[in-house]
Amino acid sequence: MANDRSFFRQMLDWLQRNPGRALFWLGILLLAVIVLQNLEPTSLKILFWQVAQVPKLVLLLGAMVLGALIWEVLRRRTGRKAPPPRRPHDRY
């Protein structure tokens, strides 16, 4: 029992010291799960075109890239910029 507590204590200490690395590995694990779940082929119909037997993963990645491109184009056209970083002495 005492050995289990020390193991969990070591893991908790590691997580506190390396939160970025822990999030990186969690992201890699989630990406692997998404890839493995979406390898089956599927067909896609757009208006009167049909794309046959494309892996779902390719469709997901394509939709994400297309969405990011549209987001960036709209952001640039509307002229919205990220707010300037706040300095510690700025007031709300």
Side-chain angles (χ1 to χ4, degrees):
M1 262 319 211
N3 205 5
D4 289 340
R5 290 187 97 192
S6 66
F7 172 74
F8 288 117
R9 179 39 117 188
Q10 288 175 351
M11 287 300 294
L12 194 61
D13 289 342
W14 183 84
L15 281 173
Q16 288 175 345
R17 286 190 316 268
N18 303 303
R21 189 176 285 180
L23 287 175
F24 171 77
W25 285 111
L26 180 63
I28 293 294
L29 179 67
L30 289 174
L31 183 66
V33 168
I34 290 170
V35 166
L36 291 175
Q37 286 182 342
N38 292 298
L39 289 177
E40 60 198 32
T42 188
S43 62
L44 176 68
K45 292 181 183 179
I46 301 174
L47 296 177
F48 36 92
W49 295 288
Q50 181 172 355
V51 179
Q53 304 305 315
V54 177
K56 285 183 184 178
L57 180 64
V58 172
L59 294 176
L60 282 171
L61 291 174
M64 288 180 358
V65 168
L66 183 64
L69 288 173
I70 290 171
W71 178 274
E72 186 64 23
V73 167
L74 289 176
R75 185 186 68 81
R76 289 183 184 202
R77 285 199 177 188
T78 59
R80 289 189 177 182
K81 296 180 181 173
R86 290 192 175 174
R87 296 181 303 242
H89 61 279
D90 285 347
R91 294 220 130 146
Y92 294 96

